[in-house]
Amino acid sequence: MELDECVQIFASESKELLEDMESALIGLEKKQNDPELINQIFRAVHTIKGSAGLFGFEDIIEFTHVVENVLDDIRNCLISVNTDIINIIFQCKDQINLYIEALISESQVDEEESKRLAELLKTYQNGEQEQNAAEELQADSSCPLTPFAETNEQDETSDKKPAEKDHYFHISFYLGEDSFRHGFSPKVILDQLRDIGEIISVTPHLDHFPNIENYCPDACYLGWFIIFNSDKSKQEIAEVFEFLDESSYHILPPETSVADFQKMISELPEDEYKAIGQMLIDIGSLTEKELNDALKANLETGELTGKILVSQGDVQAELVETALKKQAQVKQTKKNAISLIRIDASKLDTLVNLVGEMVISCAKTGRLIKKYSDEELTESASEMTETLEEMREVVLGLRMIQLTGTFNKFHRVVRDISSKLGKQINLEISGGETELDKSVIDQISDPLTHIIRNSIDHGVEMPEERISAGKESVGKIKLQAFHETGAICIKVSDDGRGINRNLVIEKAVRKGLIDSNKKYSDKEILNMIFEPGFSTASEITDISGRGVGMDVVKKNIESLRGTIDISSDEGKGTEIKIILPLTLAIIEGFNIGVADQSYIIPLDMVVECISVDDLITEEIHRKSYIKLRDEVLPLIDLQQFLALDEVTDTGKSRKNIVVVSYSGKKAGLIVDALYGEIQTVIKPLGRIFEGIAGFAGFTILGSGSVALIIDIPALINNAITQEHKYFNELSATTKKVKSNNEKIAEV
Amino acid sequence: MSDDIQELSNKSQLDNDQYLTFILSEEEFSLPIIHIKEIVEYCEITPVPLVPSFIKGVINLRGGVVPVIGLAERFGMEAGEITKRTCIVIVEIEHDSEVALMGCIVDKVLQVRDIEDDVIDPAPSFGSTINIDFIKGMAKIDEKIVAILEIEKILSVEEIAIVREMNKNKENATDDAD
């Protein structure tokens, strides 16, 4: 159970890292030699590899290791950055992402793909390594055969020089006195070393030989000092010595890598306090065994571990120093950093729900208190309401996250698709810092992807076409987000060819979506794009054009209580505007009464309320619309629509019309009573009521009773389908009225 | 180890043996208590338009909205008058590993009693007052026959789908009425 949670955290952290990596990769395409970006990519892979190691996810480790190696070479300028390798790393990033997703879904990853990518990466590495080998051959003749007591001094000087690419390890080891008696030969070690690298030189150490009186002829007093060339890590080399129990051995990593190691230390994440030894192990300059030995010595002698490590010859003094500095720095950042806590989203949801409940019970208490008209009580209640209001805002704020993450993903989408199609497109993003409810953000990503794909595929033209149209060859797609009167607006616009109305009509007719003889307004034509089964691309590509797009997009956005609007200038571009509510949990509602029941209409859709006087009542009875300020206002009688029984004991039979508007369409709802504004916590309809059109959810009123929230878009759409009928009736009634009038005149 | 499992399953078996008996239109029925979350007094029910009549509406159960059905209407029986004894039995229905709550109106709750498996006979193929699909078995208690209800069937997903269908039809009907 706990492990599961850890894996979850690992997965979500890795995903974040991969996102960073992707944005860095995109940046790298533009600034191919920015070391900071390369480091960022390297760090991401390195951290994932490290964390995967904690859990023992061998496949991830294996794959990330290969990627990391190549990235390391890039970092050390051994491999030059070009578009090809960036492409491969992009694919590697996707592959790592697949691994992470497979962890969550407990599925399998296509190992073939990993192998393919690993092979690709290796070709890069090998190409470079051959070069290295050549360089090393040249360096061989001048190879220093100094005992390592002196190498420390050398390190300091070589540090200041730019890193040369020799990989010489300095290994010293003593076999135990008993080794020969056990039949152990040092040749085994040398043979094994030869398997994993090249022995440059072997120098025996004779300083363990005792005085002649203590000398035992079958004891082994020998030690060796080896200069060893290998691309293996220190840990891997140490494995050769691992099974020697009594022997003591020290491996000093390549001298020139001190600078690299120092860099690695400085790049270790700053959010975690680590012991120095652990840091050194992390960067690979120390093995666990060496650290354990040093720690033991520390216990025995009381000397500082770092000093022991240096005196044992396991690490260079500079490294310990750098690690110490880093440690201090981490301590500092720890203090300064805003402490972030990862919280299960469902806990947040519960909190939001609870606060919602409190809002309800507070309203109820307030209502009760009014009855007693006690001053103190009223005052205390209003204080409570105020605090609660504040609390509600804070709690809702907890769920708000920035759009940046979602938006930045589109760089990749644009990049991949446009290069596939041979188009040149720049994506401009603004307003990424706009915050939206997490649940909205989660659901907005897919529709946006679809819209952007459409823009790339259908909107922006090929470079030649653009030039001949007098535009810049590089197309532009703008992704913007901003606040707009209590809602969030997301706009996707391109400067492409726009929407060809004639094509749309032609297509719609062919698909049997519209009547070819009828005249349609510009808006209606554009909105045909949202019809199911509509697709204008004459050729179906794998990017878009399957005709299952915009209708789904529209549906998704409407399910978020949002609206989508399209405008397009032919030849100049298309703009798609999505308006979303800030949050899904609580809305300002308008409480109305129909047939003795309370219903809620979302307040932002209410335009005005009109009381129906007798004259209009007459009008309503005859037809389903009224004329309001020279505009025809279609009416929906809620009581009829909801098939409710007519209230019999209507003391005042005066009805009201609530004018609502939704994406530019207006309608009048005939209701019995107006109760005023109310804050409502939306509760989902639940499975049993899911199928009912016309309702968006439930809410609990201050009185404790449940009220239904009316789904205005569904209601209006219903009205629109009946519009035709209305107008038919309209002409029928006018005729009737006329003939009636004529009759009256005759009489 | 296997003994533990045995014991556990015995225990759940025990729980399964307990049933809540109640009255619906002067007839005694029972439900396994394992499905029952709680019993609340009859309270104001907010009707939901455009649904079949056996769905009485929704209630506010400590801040949660719970749909309520009239069991009697569901079985095609005459609904009893609302009295002081009328209760809403809140049952838990699991579907797709989600637990949904639903209220059932009953006329009177009697008691919780143990009914051994061996006194439960399978539902008769005909001759019962309600749709036999809704009956899990018939139990003989004190010389009386009590029907044990199959709550999953009564409120099953398929049933809900039918409910939707009905409500669609109804919608069309109202459309036509316009």
Side-chain angles (χ1 to χ4, degrees):
Chain A
M1 191 61 198
E2 260 175 46
L3 187 70
D4 269 4
E5 273 171 33
C6 292
V7 173
Q8 287 291 344
I9 292 171
F10 165 67
S12 64
E13 278 179 355
S14 301
K15 289 215 148 186
E16 273 169 31
L17 284 166
L18 287 172
E19 274 172 31
D20 290 348
M21 180 174 164
E22 186 169 289
S23 54
L25 273 170
I26 283 163
L28 197 62
E29 282 202 305
K30 295 194 182 105
K31 279 168 80 182
Q32 296 209 329
N33 284 317
D34 188 335
E36 194 34 57
L37 291 172
I38 298 172
N39 274 334
Q40 204 180 333
I41 298 164
F42 177 84
R43 270 198 301 265
V45 176
H46 179 77
T47 312
I48 293 173
K49 187 182 113 174
S51 319
L54 281 178
F55 297 100
F57 297 135
E58 293 296 339
D59 41 357
I60 299 183
I61 302 169
E62 202 179 308
F63 185 68
T64 47
H65 182 71
V66 180
V67 182
E68 191 189 358
N69 280 345
V70 171
L71 286 171
D72 196 30
D73 285 352
I74 294 177
R75 211 164 57 140
N76 294 329
C77 304
L78 294 181
I79 298 177
S80 50
V81 180
N82 57 34
T83 321
D84 287 344
I85 194 142
I86 292 178
N87 271 333
I88 295 171
I89 297 170
F90 261 123
Q91 289 171 26
C92 292
K93 183 241 140 195
D94 290 346
Q95 187 69 9
I96 299 174
N97 197 27
L98 284 181
Y99 273 117
I100 306 289
E101 265 162 21
L103 272 186
I104 304 169
S105 58
E106 287 174 8
S107 56
Q108 283 296 317
V109 175
D110 182 12
E111 290 290 341
E112 289 305 313
E113 175 69 5
S114 304
K115 273 185 204 149
R116 188 185 69 80
L117 289 170
E119 285 304 316
L120 267 175
L121 288 175
K122 273 184 190 143
T123 53
Y124 273 92
Q125 256 191 320
N126 291 342
E128 303 290 343
Q129 257 168 25
E130 277 157 29
Q131 276 179 24
N132 287 352
E135 279 169 34
E136 269 156 22
L137 269 177
Q138 286 178 347
D140 258 0
S141 50
S142 59
C143 167
L145 294 178
T146 41
F148 74 86
E150 285 165 42
T151 39
N152 272 350
E153 287 162 34
Q154 275 215 338
D155 283 343
E156 275 162 41
T157 47
S158 62
D159 274 350
K160 280 154 201 147
K161 281 185 271 164
E164 278 166 34
K165 292 144 205 160
D166 63 340
H167 280 253
Y168 297 158
F169 286 86
H170 293 205
I171 304 169
S172 71
F173 69 101
Y174 289 94
L175 295 178
E177 283 187 23
D178 285 334
S179 327
F180 288 161
R181 297 185 190 117
H182 294 154
F184 187 83
S185 158
K187 189 169 174 289
V188 179
I189 290 177
L190 295 180
D191 283 347
Q192 284 191 0
L193 283 177
R194 255 184 221 113
D195 285 346
I196 58 169
E198 184 191 359
I199 295 175
I200 309 283
S201 74
V202 183
T203 324
H205 277 271
L206 306 173
D207 50 348
H208 276 210
F209 273 90
N211 292 331
I212 193 73
E213 52 265 32
N214 296 328
Y215 180 76
C216 181
D218 59 353
C220 168
Y221 300 111
L222 273 173
W224 287 269
F225 176 68
I226 300 170
I227 294 178
F228 182 60
N229 178 24
S230 169
D231 56 355
K232 298 280 186 242
S233 74
K234 186 171 180 179
Q235 184 72 44
E236 282 168 302
I237 294 170
E239 276 162 18
V240 172
F241 299 93
E242 211 77 73
F243 59 93
L244 297 181
D245 2 310
E246 285 172 72
S247 68
S248 66
Y249 63 92
H250 296 291
I251 302 165
L252 189 67
E255 43 187 281
T256 44
S257 66
V258 169
D260 287 347
F261 280 138
Q262 281 179 326
K263 212 162 131 203
M264 275 163 90
I265 291 177
S266 64
E267 280 159 9
L268 282 173
E270 282 177 9
D271 49 356
E272 221 177 322
Y273 180 79
K274 277 183 183 157
I276 291 172
Q278 193 56 48
M279 274 193 224
L280 294 173
I281 289 177
D282 279 358
I283 61 165
S285 81
L286 190 68
T287 63
E288 298 255 7
K289 188 177 173 301
E290 285 168 349
L291 178 66
N292 285 339
D293 289 349
L295 287 175
K296 242 182 257 162
N298 169 327
L299 281 181
E300 283 159 17
T301 61
E303 212 177 324
L304 285 172
T305 326
K307 269 193 190 156
I308 296 168
L309 286 173
V310 176
S311 64
Q312 278 182 350
D314 290 327
V315 284
Q316 289 90 340
E318 296 90 322
L319 279 186
V320 176
E321 222 168 84
T322 322
L324 270 171
K325 267 189 215 149
K326 175 75 182 180
Q327 207 178 27
Q329 190 193 343
V330 170
K331 265 187 208 162
Q332 193 57 39
T333 14
K334 258 251 148 53
K335 258 185 234 160
N336 296 345
I338 315 163
S339 52
L340 291 176
I341 309 173
R342 242 167 231 286
I343 301 182
D344 191 346
S346 68
K347 278 185 190 165
L348 267 189
D349 287 345
T350 319
L351 186 64
V352 172
N353 279 342
L354 283 175
V355 170
E357 301 312 334
M358 274 192 67
V359 171
I360 291 165
S361 31
C362 195
K364 188 176 175 182
T365 317
R367 221 168 38 88
L368 286 174
I369 285 173
K370 258 189 202 157
K371 268 192 201 162
Y372 299 103
S373 59
D374 182 308
E375 206 172 292
E376 277 176 52
L377 210 55
T378 317
E379 199 171 308
S380 130
S382 73
E383 257 172 49
M384 186 169 80
T385 318
E386 244 168 67
T387 321
L388 195 62
E389 200 55 40
E390 246 171 71
M391 188 168 149
R392 189 182 73 105
E393 254 159 53
V394 173
V395 167
L396 284 182
L398 291 180
R399 291 185 48 93
M400 304 297 263
I401 48 174
Q402 293 194 347
L403 273 166
T404 324
T406 315
F407 275 12
N408 283 341
K409 278 184 202 149
F410 293 117
H411 278 299
R412 174 80 188 276
V413 174
V414 171
R415 176 194 170 276
D416 281 4
I417 300 176
S418 58
S419 65
K420 209 174 194 173
L421 296 171
K423 293 180 180 178
Q424 294 169 350
I425 299 173
N426 249 341
L427 178 68
E428 279 178 20
I429 288 179
S430 69
E433 70 287 344
T434 315
E435 288 185 326
L436 258 178
D437 194 283
K438 186 172 185 308
S439 49
V440 181
I441 293 225
D442 289 346
Q443 289 173 64
I444 195 70
S445 178
D446 282 355
L448 272 183
T449 313
H450 204 96
I451 292 171
I452 287 178
R453 283 177 169 203
N454 270 342
S455 284
I456 303 167
D457 199 21
H458 307 314
V460 178
E461 315 92 326
M462 299 298 280
E464 311 86 57
E465 204 181 328
R466 290 183 63 88
I467 291 168
S468 62
K471 296 182 193 176
E472 276 177 55
S473 65
V474 180
K476 209 193 284 170
I477 294 179
K478 266 199 232 166
L479 185 57
Q480 296 164 280
F482 48 89
H483 284 266
E484 200 181 70
T485 55
I488 295 287
C489 181
I490 299 175
K491 253 202 250 179
V492 182
S493 47
D494 63 58
D495 62 350
R497 59 172 77 96
I499 292 169
N500 185 331
R501 270 72 168 175
N502 292 334
L503 269 181
V504 171
I505 292 177
E506 196 184 299
K507 188 80 162 223
V509 170
R510 210 170 54 233
K511 299 249 170 187
L513 299 170
I514 55 163
D515 183 356
S516 53
N517 298 323
K518 222 179 138 186
K519 276 256 171 207
Y520 290 94
S521 72
D522 197 50
K523 198 139 204 120
E524 279 174 319
I525 295 169
L526 288 178
N527 278 326
M528 283 170 199
I529 286 168
F530 296 115
E531 289 293 320
F534 187 91
S535 172
T536 50
S538 41
E539 214 178 298
I540 289 176
T541 63
D542 60 346
I543 292 150
S544 55
R546 271 154 300 185
V548 281
M550 294 308 275
D551 60 316
V552 179
V553 167
K554 189 175 180 184
K555 225 185 256 164
N556 283 346
I557 287 174
E558 278 172 1
S559 74
L560 294 170
R561 292 194 293 113
T563 57
I564 185 164
D565 220 6
I566 186 166
S567 61
S568 178
D569 258 347
E570 211 173 323
K572 283 190 185 152
T574 308
E575 180 184 281
I576 290 178
K577 194 171 164 188
I578 299 167
I579 295 177
L580 291 167
L582 277 172
T583 168
L584 292 180
I586 298 183
I587 59 160
E588 297 285 330
F590 189 71
N591 193 354
I592 55 153
V594 183
D596 266 354
Q597 288 293 327
S598 278
Y599 293 90
I600 307 290
I601 299 171
L603 189 65
D604 52 353
M605 294 182 179
V606 176
V607 181
E608 61 181 317
C609 302
I610 317 161
S611 81
V612 181
D613 52 42
D614 298 331
L615 198 113
I616 304 181
T617 317
E618 189 81 2
E619 210 176 347
I620 293 169
H621 270 298
R622 283 206 307 265
K623 53 202 181 200
S624 327
Y625 73 97
I626 56 163
K627 217 164 122 186
L628 178 69
R629 285 189 289 276
D630 290 336
E631 251 182 273
V632 173
L633 184 72
L635 295 178
I636 301 169
D637 189 341
L638 274 186
Q639 183 194 307
Q640 264 177 40
F641 180 82
L642 303 175
L644 298 171
D645 298 330
E646 195 143 2
V647 194
T648 41
D649 60 331
T650 39
K652 35 178 183 160
S653 61
R654 215 176 59 158
K655 294 206 170 198
N656 293 283
I657 293 176
V658 179
V659 182
V660 292
S661 114
Y662 150 73
S663 73
K665 297 154 194 148
K666 276 189 184 176
L669 306 182
I670 305 175
V671 303
D672 291 338
L674 305 173
Y675 298 125
E677 291 171 32
I678 183 173
Q679 286 222 327
T680 52
V681 180
I682 301 181
K683 297 191 178 286
L685 283 172
R687 272 210 324 277
I688 237 188
F689 301 118
E690 254 166 28
I692 314 175
F695 295 111
F698 294 109
T699 190
I700 293 172
L701 299 175
S703 62
S705 61
V706 186
L708 282 144
I709 300 165
I710 295 174
D711 183 1
I712 298 293
L715 206 68
I716 293 191
N717 283 338
N718 192 309
I720 287 169
T721 53
Q722 292 179 23
E723 200 178 56
H724 208 63
K725 244 195 295 187
Y726 288 141
F727 284 110
N728 282 349
E729 274 172 34
L730 163 71
S731 51
T733 9
T734 23
K735 265 181 211 157
K736 228 186 250 167
V737 172
K738 258 189 198 162
S739 63
N740 276 353
N741 286 348
E742 279 161 18
K743 266 181 206 161
I744 292 165
E746 275 170 31
V747 172
Chain B
M1 187 66 184
S2 64
D3 282 355
D4 287 354
I5 292 168
Q6 193 63 39
E7 208 171 293
L8 266 176
S9 65
N10 276 348
K11 240 182 207 161
S12 62
Q13 201 66 46
L14 258 181
D15 287 341
N16 275 339
D17 279 355
Q18 291 203 307
Y19 295 83
L20 174 83
T21 57
F22 53 86
I23 298 283
L24 214 56
S25 278
E26 283 160 19
E27 215 175 309
E28 198 172 331
F29 292 95
S30 71
L31 271 176
I33 63 162
I34 196 151
H35 296 299
I36 296 171
K37 183 166 185 276
E38 61 185 295
I39 300 165
V40 295
E41 256 179 81
Y42 184 83
C43 54
E44 191 206 339
I45 297 176
T46 306
V48 176
L50 311 176
V51 293
S53 60
F54 73 83
I55 299 182
K56 305 306 282 182
V58 287
I59 56 164
N60 167 13
L61 184 70
R62 290 186 303 276
V65 175
V66 178
V68 175
I69 71 159
L71 263 193
E73 286 99 323
R74 182 79 181 103
F75 298 153
M77 300 175 357
E78 193 78 14
E81 220 175 288
I82 304 295
T83 66
K84 266 193 165 170
R85 305 292 298 270
T86 309
C87 286
I88 299 173
V89 179
I90 310 288
V91 294
E92 288 174 328
I93 299 150
E94 200 171 322
H95 170 60
D96 287 347
S97 72
E98 254 178 69
V99 175
L101 294 182
M102 211 170 290
C104 301
I105 302 175
V106 302
D107 292 346
K108 196 202 267 179
V109 169
L110 297 175
Q111 58 177 317
V112 174
R113 60 189 311 160
D114 294 328
I115 302 176
E116 298 296 329
D117 276 351
D118 51 6
V119 299
I120 301 175
D121 292 330
S125 42
F126 61 91
S128 143
T129 38
I130 65 171
N131 185 344
I132 53 141
D133 284 347
F134 298 153
I135 299 174
K136 205 182 209 166
M138 306 296 279
K140 285 184 287 264
I141 312 170
D142 310 335
E143 302 308 307
K144 271 186 300 182
I145 302 281
V146 175
I148 296 170
L149 297 175
E150 182 103 71
I151 199 72
E152 288 98 338
K153 278 267 171 59
I154 295 171
L155 306 163
S156 74
V157 185
E158 293 85 54
E159 292 296 329
I160 290 165
I162 291 167
V163 167
R164 280 202 202 131
E165 198 110 322
M166 282 172 72
N167 118 56
K168 240 183 236 163
N169 291 341
K170 206 163 188 179
E171 218 171 273
N172 291 342
T174 38
D175 281 0
D176 293 343
D178 283 352

